[in-house]
Amino acid sequence: MEWFQALTTLALGGLFGGILAFSALFAPLVFTKLPMEQAGPFIRAVFPWYYLYVIVFGFLSAIFAGLAGAGFWVLSSSAVVALASVYTRQVLMLQINELRDRELAGDVAAGAEFKSKHRLSVIINSVQLLLAGAALVCWAWN
């Protein structure tokens, strides 16, 4: 049981820390330090790996939390974070990329839809950060 408690702590810390570091540090730095013609393609190449990281750590957190006997909120929050990343990586990100390409090619309507879908991805990521943080705090108080 102690191993699963330690693994849960590490997985939740990795989940929350990874989302926070990417959202608050990495992505903003890419767009402030690189020229836009390099920043866009670079961040597009990084996003699938970021979402895969969140998927893996989210599911590991949920599995280890379940094996450690954590409460419902820790387990379910971690699983929701992982599942949201599956959707974002496999569906939403593909739509966003396609819309951005169309916008850059001159499709004005695609530009408006791109902004809407991008806003949705930012909202999902923000909720994931809050859920991962809440799961970590709930786990720490157990």
Side-chain angles (χ1 to χ4, degrees):
M1 188 67 91
E2 290 177 13
W3 278 103
F4 292 126
Q5 291 172 336
L7 291 171
T8 301
T9 302
L10 290 171
L12 284 169
L15 178 63
F16 178 72
I19 296 170
L20 182 63
F22 187 84
S23 303
L25 295 172
F26 183 77
L29 282 173
V30 167
F31 285 104
T32 58
K33 300 298 181 187
L34 291 178
M36 190 54 89
E37 56 275 354
Q38 292 175 342
F42 179 74
I43 205 76
R44 185 184 278 201
V46 170
F47 263 119
W49 294 101
Y50 164 69
Y51 288 122
L52 184 59
Y53 175 92
V54 175
I55 291 165
V56 168
F57 273 83
F59 282 132
L60 285 175
S61 296
I63 291 166
F64 294 146
L67 293 171
F72 171 79
W73 293 110
V74 175
L75 194 153
S76 62
S77 294
S78 300
V80 166
V81 168
L83 290 170
S85 281
V86 170
Y87 166 74
T88 305
R89 183 179 196 265
Q90 300 304 121
V91 177
L92 189 58
M93 186 179 64
L94 301 175
Q95 294 171 349
I96 289 170
N97 290 344
E98 190 263 331
L99 289 165
R100 180 68 172 150
D101 290 343
R102 286 179 31 209
E103 178 188 28
L104 292 174
D107 185 342
V108 177
E113 193 174 351
F114 164 78
K115 288 178 185 160
S116 175
K117 298 271 186 179
H118 181 266
R119 188 176 318 110
L120 175 60
S121 74
V122 170
I123 291 168
I124 291 170
N125 197 68
S126 298
V127 170
Q128 288 175 298
L129 179 63
L130 292 172
L131 285 174
L136 185 58
V137 169
C138 286
W139 175 249
W141 278 344
N142 272 344

